[in-house]
Amino acid sequence: DMTSTTTPLPEFTLEEITKHKTASDLWFAIDGKVYDITGFAPKHPGGVKVLTSLGGTDCTEAFRQYHPREVYDKYLPTLPLKG
């Protein structure tokens, strides 16, 4: 029997995600996944302000625009995944 024992991640509406847009509670949706970037925000090379300006949104396009593929592949998997 090859059934999975992992618990599926919850799904969030954009309305729920928009509640998390401050430096102390910061979520992003990127490529259909929801990340909690609160702990990473102070370490972001571009500063916290740019992150909070996009917080609580689907920022897939902005992320792709400002980050090379290597950043995408290396750092996104290290961020806490909410859903």
Side-chain angles (χ1 to χ4, degrees):
D1 185 0
M2 299 297 288
T3 56
S4 175
T5 58
T6 58
T7 304
L9 291 169
E11 293 185 11
F12 295 96
T13 64
L14 199 51
E15 182 181 357
E16 291 170 302
I17 295 166
T18 60
K19 297 174 185 174
H20 305 273
K21 58 185 176 186
T22 66
S24 61
D25 181 25
L26 194 55
W27 292 11
F28 281 169
I30 301 173
D31 284 338
K33 295 179 181 174
V34 179
Y35 297 91
D36 180 346
I37 64 160
T38 308
F40 170 74
K43 302 174 215 157
H44 183 250
V48 174
K49 188 175 181 177
V50 68
L51 297 180
T52 56
S53 72
L54 294 169
T57 69
D58 181 336
C59 65
T60 301
E61 291 306 314
F63 189 87
R64 287 181 182 163
Q65 182 178 353
Y66 291 102
H67 300 92
R69 186 70 201 191
E70 299 82 43
V71 170
Y72 204 89
D73 294 337
K74 183 176 180 180
Y75 293 105
L76 274 185
T78 68
L79 297 173
L81 196 58
K82 300 301 285 184

